[in-house]
Structure formats: C-alpha cells, structure tokens
C-alpha cells in the first residue's frame, strides 16, 4: 500500500512540476480612434496553421489565452470590415505572460 501511495505521489508531483502555464494576453483597439474592439475573435494557431485555441475580447477589448505549451504559435485577429492581423509568438518558458496588443485598421 505504501508503494502504491508513493508512486501516486510521485506521479502527481511530476505532473505539477511539468505543467504548462504560459499566458498570452492583450488588447484589441481601433487604430483610428483608440477605442476598444469588444467581442472580436482571437485565434491561436500552431506554426503549421492548425488551430491551438482562441479567445473572444471582452467589452474593454481584452483577450487572454492560457495554458500554452512551449512552441511556435501564430495569433490571428479577424474582424468584420477590418484588416486581418497576425503576430508570430514563441513560447520558450513553462510559466509566464506575454502581452500582444493589436490595433485594427478599417479596410
């Protein structure tokens, strides 16, 4: 029984130690007047353009995507009547925060 509990405790400890807790966050604003862009989609893509996650900006234009693993990603913002914007990001740390803001321009 002790062996089973020891194995369980070590497994739990290793998962906590190696868990990924990196966050990308930022604001979407209108480049013409600086106003926030609420309820717009922010897509997180892997380097090969497959979907890895996403978020929707709140009433203040703020978005946040958490629990990212190390790797190469592309942030993509598409808003109706605005130019699509992309930003490449590289996550090299297991834990941390990266701020990526977007100023959207009318088409």
């Amino acid at each position: 029984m002790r062996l089973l509990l020891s194995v369980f405790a070590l497994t739990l400890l290793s998962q906590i130690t190696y868990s990924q807790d990196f966050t990308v966050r930022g604001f979407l604003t209108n480049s013409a007047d600086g106003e926030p862009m609420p309820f717009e989609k922010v897509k997180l893509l892997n380097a090969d353009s497959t979907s890895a996650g996403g978020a929707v900006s709140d009433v203040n234009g703020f978005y946040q995507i958490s629990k990212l693993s190390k790797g190469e990603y592309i942030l993509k913002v598409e808003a109706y009547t605005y130019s699509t914007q992309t930003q490449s990001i590289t996550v090299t740390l297991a834990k941390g925060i990266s701020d990526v803001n977007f100023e959207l321009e009318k088409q």
Side-chain angles (χ1 to χ4, degrees), residues 24 43-45 63 73-77 85-90 99-102:
V24 176
K43 296 179 183 178
L44 181 72
L45 307 172
Y63 74 92
Y73 296 98
I74 301 167
L75 281 173
K76 184 175 184 179
V77 179
Q85 291 193 13
T86 59
Q87 175 71 42
S88 296
I89 59 169
T90 302
D99 292 317
V100 181
N101 298 318
F102 290 93

Side-chain angles (χ1 to χ4, degrees), residues 29-41:
T29 56
N30 185 331
S31 65
D33 57 13
E35 289 293 315
M37 300 283 297
F39 313 116
E40 298 297 343
K41 294 177 187 163

Side-chain angles (χ1 to χ4, degrees), residues 1 9 17 22 25 30-31 42-45 71 81 102 105:
M1 186 67 174
T17 303
F22 195 87
R25 66 183 186 185
N30 185 331
S31 65
V42 180
K43 296 179 183 178
L44 181 72
L45 307 172
T81 71
F102 290 93
E105 299 177 4

Side-chain angles (χ1 to χ4, degrees), residues 38-75:
F39 313 116
E40 298 297 343
K41 294 177 187 163
V42 180
K43 296 179 183 178
L44 181 72
L45 307 172
N46 291 309
D48 63 359
S49 295
T50 58
S51 180
V56 175
S57 61
D58 66 11
V59 295
N60 298 312
F62 180 77
Y63 74 92
Q64 178 173 305
I65 305 170
S66 301
K67 306 288 185 195
L68 300 180
S69 301
K70 294 179 184 177
E72 303 274 331
Y73 296 98
I74 301 167
L75 281 173

Side-chain angles (χ1 to χ4, degrees), residues 9-22 67-70 91 93-95:
L10 287 174
T11 303
L12 184 62
L13 181 62
S14 68
Q15 287 184 2
I16 291 170
T17 303
Y18 293 108
S19 67
Q20 303 299 313
D21 196 19
F22 195 87
K67 306 288 185 195
L68 300 180
S69 301
K70 294 179 184 177
V91 176
L93 303 172
K95 296 183 183 217

